[in-house]
Amino acid sequence: MTAVPTLGSLPAADGAMQTGGSRERIERIYAVLRKRICLLDYAPGERLREETLADEFDVSRTPIRRVLARLEDEGLLRSVHGVGTIVTDIDIDALEQVYQLRVELAELIGKLSPVQPDADKIDAFRALLARCEALVARPDARAFAEINMDFFHLLNSLTANEPLRAISELLYYQTTRIWLKTASRLESYQAVLNTEITIFHREMADIVAAVEIGDLEVVGHIRRAHISMSFLRLRNSAHADATRAHDAGHDASHDD
Amino acid sequence: MTAVPTLGSLPAADGAMQTGGSRERIERIYAVLRKRICLLDYAPGERLREETLADEFDVSRTPIRRVLARLEDEGLLRSVHGVGTIVTDIDIDALEQVYQLRVELAELIGKLSPVQPDADKIDAFRALLARCEALVARPDARAFAEINMDFFHLLNSLTANEPLRAISELLYYQTTRIWLKTASRLESYQAVLNTEITIFHREMADIVAAVEIGDLEVVGHIRRAHISMSFLRLRNSAHADATRAHDAGHDASHDD
DNA sequence: GGGCGTGATGTTGTACACAACAAAAGCATA
DNA sequence: TATGCTTTTGTTGTGTACAACATCACGCCC
C-alpha cells in the first residue's frame, strides 16, 4: 500500500501552485501525512521511505525529515536507523490511558474559556449533522472516520484555551486510528459499523442540540460519556472477537 | 550571555565519554537546552546560533536542528529564516490559559492511575524537603527554580498514566520560566523571593505529609491550590510593580 | 542633514554526498 | 538440508556546501 488514491479533503493548493513559505509547506506536508496515518492509508507497521515522500512532495529529504521528526515526537511514527520509518502499531489496551485522559479533557473544553458559538458555527454543526445522516443511509468506514475527525475539530473550536486545544488534538490523533484498525479485523465488521454509525449520529444530534442552546458544559458532559462508551464498546468487541476466534481455533486451528 | 557556566545537574557523561547511540545523544542535548531555557541561562528573546551549539556539543548542525525543531514545536523556541533561533518571550497574562490547564491536570495526577509511593520514593520526597529547608535558610532564586523542577518530576512520577505525565511535563516547561523572569524584574525582588520560598516550603511539607500517608488525591488537591495561588501571587506582584513604576514615571520619567 | 538604495554580512533552510547501520541474499561447508 | 559466515542491498543519520532571506552599514542623492 504505497500509492494513495486521494489526498483526502486537502485545502486545494494542488497542481503546481504550492504557495507559501517553507513553514507553510512543512505544515501542509505534516497535515497530509498525519491524516494518511489516521485514515490507515498508511497501515500500522508499514514502512515509509523518506526519499519516496521527498519525490512525491517535490522536495529533498531534509524538510521531509523535519515532518517525520515531529510525527515521531507525537508518537505516530518511529524511525529506526538502517531500517526505515515505521508507522507505530497500536492496541486497544495500551491506549486506555490516553482515553482516560481524553475523557477528562473533553469535559474541560466546556469549562475552560468556552466560546459561545455564532451563527456560522452553528450552521457548521448542522451541516456536519446532515453529512452524518447521509452516512447512516449509506455506511462507509472511511467516511465515518472523516466525519468523526471534522466533528472533533469543530468541537475543539468551542474553547478559546489554545493549549487545551493543542493537547486535545494531539491525543485525538494518537487514538483515532484504533477504531478503523480494530473494526476492520472484526468478524462482524459490517454490523459493528452500522450500529456505531447509528449511535454516533444520535450522540451528534444530542450535542448539536446542546450547542444550539449554547450550554457548552452540557456538551462536555455528553462528549465525555460519548468518548468513554465508544472506547468500552470497541474494547468489548475486540475482546469478544478475540475469544471467539480462539475458541474456534480448537475446531479448525488455522488462525494467523 | 553565551557562555554557560554550569550545565546544571546533568547526569555526568561529561568529558569525552558521550556514550550511546544517536537517539540518546539527541535526547541529552534536548534536555540540556531545555533546562538552560527554563533556568534563563538563555534569556527570552536571546538568539541562539546553530553552529555555536554544534561546536559546543561537537556535532554538526544536523542533530542540533533536530533538537531545535522539537523545542520549537513545544513552544520554547522560534526559528526565523535569515535571522536566528530565538528563545520565545513570555508574559504572565498570555500564560494564564496554560496555568488553568495545569491546575486541572495537577488534580488528575491523583486520580488517573495513581501509584502508591514505595519507601525509596518517600525518601526522595524527604530529601527534597531537606534541600528546601536549606534553601529557606539561604534563599537563592536559581536553587529555588531547580528544587521546584525536581519536585515537579517527583510529583509527576506519582501517576502511571504516561500520556498525562508527558503532557504535564510539556506544560510545566512552558510555564516555569515565567517566575524567574518576572521576579527578577521586580522592585521588591529579595522580599518576594523570601516569602515565595517560605510558602513553597510550607506547601511542600504539606504535600510530603500527604504522600507519606499515601493519599494521592489529597496531594492533587493541595497541588491544585498551590499552582493556582502561585500564579495569582505572581501576577499580582507583576501588575502592582507595573502600576507603581508607571506612577513613579510621572515624577521622573526615565524608564527603559 | 535626512532619506533611500545597494552591497556586505550573518543566519537559517535546502539539497546532496557519504557514513553508519540493519537485514536479506548468496554461498560454502558440515 | 541446515548452518554459519560473507557480501550485497537498502535505509536512516550526519556533515557540508550552497541558496534564500533578513538586517545593518555605507554611501549617494536630494
Side-chain angles (χ1 to χ4, degrees):
Chain A
M1 185 193 287
T2 305
V4 175
T6 74
L7 260 59
S9 56
L10 286 179
D14 230 336
M17 188 50 189
Q18 288 297 357
T19 170
S22 64
R23 182 151 297 152
E24 287 85 355
R25 179 175 61 184
I26 284 180
E27 195 67 29
R28 194 161 35 225
I29 297 175
Y30 164 77
V32 170
L33 293 190
R34 188 177 65 172
K35 193 162 189 176
R36 286 182 186 170
I37 293 171
C38 292
L39 260 35
L40 298 193
D41 292 327
Y42 299 142
E46 184 172 346
R47 259 178 35 198
L48 308 183
R49 293 190 344 104
E50 296 178 350
E51 203 164 347
T52 304
L53 294 171
D55 289 344
E56 175 186 347
F57 292 100
D58 207 51
V59 293
S60 82
R61 280 177 58 207
T62 308
I64 294 292
R65 283 178 62 76
R66 172 71 175 83
V67 170
L68 296 183
R70 177 168 172 192
L71 289 168
E72 181 171 7
D73 289 335
E74 294 177 356
L76 298 181
L77 293 178
R78 174 167 175 78
S79 288
V80 183
H81 191 181
V83 178
T85 303
I86 289 131
V87 180
T88 54
D89 204 349
I90 47 178
D91 71 291
I92 187 84
D93 295 313
L95 253 49
E96 181 167 6
Q97 293 185 333
V98 187
Y99 267 96
Q100 286 178 349
L101 192 48
R102 281 195 61 202
V103 161
E104 303 290 340
L105 292 186
E107 203 164 350
L108 285 183
I109 285 184
K111 286 180 185 168
L112 264 44
S113 312
V115 294
Q116 285 303 319
D118 56 10
D120 284 348
K121 185 143 289 175
I122 292 182
D123 282 346
F125 271 100
R126 286 174 180 152
L128 208 54
L129 189 58
R131 277 175 62 195
C132 195
E133 280 164 13
L135 187 67
V136 173
R138 198 160 58 82
D140 174 72
R142 191 191 174 91
F144 176 44
E146 290 198 53
I147 289 183
N148 194 299
M149 195 176 291
D150 292 340
F151 191 50
F152 167 81
H153 282 121
L154 211 48
L155 283 167
N156 216 22
S157 72
L158 291 180
T159 179
N161 190 309
E162 231 300 298
L164 176 57
R165 280 218 303 268
I167 284 171
S168 297
E169 187 174 321
L170 199 69
L171 297 178
Y172 174 80
Y173 280 101
Q174 279 180 14
T175 56
T176 186
R177 297 181 286 157
I178 194 66
W179 198 92
L180 276 177
K181 185 204 168 192
T182 307
S184 69
R185 294 168 185 234
L186 252 45
E187 179 78 12
S188 51
Y189 171 60
Q190 201 63 43
V192 167
L193 177 61
N194 287 345
T195 64
E196 199 67 23
I197 288 180
T198 304
I199 293 174
F200 180 67
H201 174 258
R202 187 166 62 235
E203 289 168 330
M204 197 167 168
D206 291 345
I207 288 183
V208 170
V211 168
E212 285 172 335
I213 292 176
D215 192 336
L216 297 187
E217 205 155 340
V218 165
V219 171
H221 288 308
I222 299 176
R223 209 164 148 231
R224 179 192 175 106
H226 173 180
I227 296 174
S228 176
M229 294 181 64
S230 161
F231 171 75
L232 292 177
R233 280 198 306 274
L234 188 61
R235 192 172 63 176
N236 287 342
S237 298
H239 286 175
D241 198 73
T243 56
R244 183 201 51 69
H246 180 264
D247 292 346
H250 287 293
D251 298 359
S253 58
H254 53 79
D255 46 288
D256 179 36
Chain B
M1 185 193 289
T2 305
V4 175
T6 73
L7 262 57
S9 56
L10 287 179
D14 232 335
M17 189 48 188
Q18 290 296 0
T19 171
S22 66
R23 182 151 294 151
E24 286 84 355
R25 178 175 62 181
I26 283 180
E27 195 68 28
R28 194 160 37 225
I29 298 176
Y30 165 77
V32 171
L33 293 189
R34 187 176 65 170
K35 193 162 189 176
R36 286 181 185 171
I37 292 171
C38 292
L39 259 36
L40 299 193
D41 293 328
Y42 298 144
E46 185 172 345
R47 260 178 36 198
L48 307 183
R49 293 193 341 108
E50 296 178 351
E51 202 163 350
T52 305
L53 294 171
D55 289 344
E56 175 187 346
F57 291 101
D58 208 51
V59 292
S60 81
R61 280 177 57 206
T62 308
I64 294 293
R65 285 178 60 77
R66 173 72 175 83
V67 170
L68 296 184
R70 178 168 172 191
L71 289 168
E72 181 171 5
D73 289 336
E74 293 176 354
L76 298 181
L77 293 179
R78 172 165 176 81
S79 288
V80 183
H81 189 181
V83 178
T85 303
I86 290 132
V87 180
T88 54
D89 203 350
I90 47 178
D91 71 292
I92 186 86
D93 295 312
L95 253 49
E96 181 168 3
Q97 293 185 334
V98 188
Y99 267 96
Q100 286 179 348
L101 191 49
R102 282 194 61 202
V103 161
E104 304 292 339
L105 292 185
E107 203 164 351
L108 285 183
I109 286 183
K111 288 181 185 167
L112 264 44
S113 312
V115 294
Q116 285 303 319
D118 56 10
D120 285 347
K121 184 142 289 179
I122 291 182
D123 282 345
F125 271 100
R126 286 173 179 152
L128 208 53
L129 187 58
R131 278 175 61 196
C132 194
E133 279 163 12
L135 187 66
V136 172
R138 199 161 57 81
D140 175 70
R142 190 191 175 91
F144 175 44
E146 290 198 52
I147 289 182
N148 194 298
M149 195 177 290
D150 291 341
F151 191 49
F152 167 82
H153 283 122
L154 211 48
L155 284 167
N156 217 21
S157 72
L158 290 180
T159 177
N161 189 310
E162 231 300 299
L164 177 57
R165 281 216 304 268
I167 284 171
S168 297
E169 187 173 319
L170 199 67
L171 297 178
Y172 173 81
Y173 280 101
Q174 279 180 13
T175 57
T176 186
R177 297 181 287 158
I178 194 66
W179 198 93
L180 277 178
K181 185 206 169 192
T182 307
S184 69
R185 296 168 183 233
L186 252 44
E187 180 78 13
S188 51
Y189 171 60
Q190 201 63 43
V192 167
L193 177 62
N194 286 346
T195 63
E196 199 67 23
I197 287 178
T198 305
I199 293 174
F200 179 68
H201 175 258
R202 187 167 60 236
E203 289 169 330
M204 197 168 168
D206 292 344
I207 288 182
V208 170
V211 168
E212 285 172 334
I213 294 177
D215 192 336
L216 298 188
E217 205 156 340
V218 165
V219 171
H221 287 309
I222 299 176
R223 204 160 153 238
R224 180 194 174 105
H226 174 180
I227 295 174
S228 176
M229 293 181 65
S230 161
F231 171 73
L232 292 177
R233 280 197 308 275
L234 187 61
R235 193 171 62 175
N236 287 342
S237 299
H239 286 175
D241 199 72
T243 56
R244 183 203 49 69
H246 179 264
D247 292 347
H250 287 292
D251 298 359
S253 59
H254 53 80
D255 47 285
D256 188 21

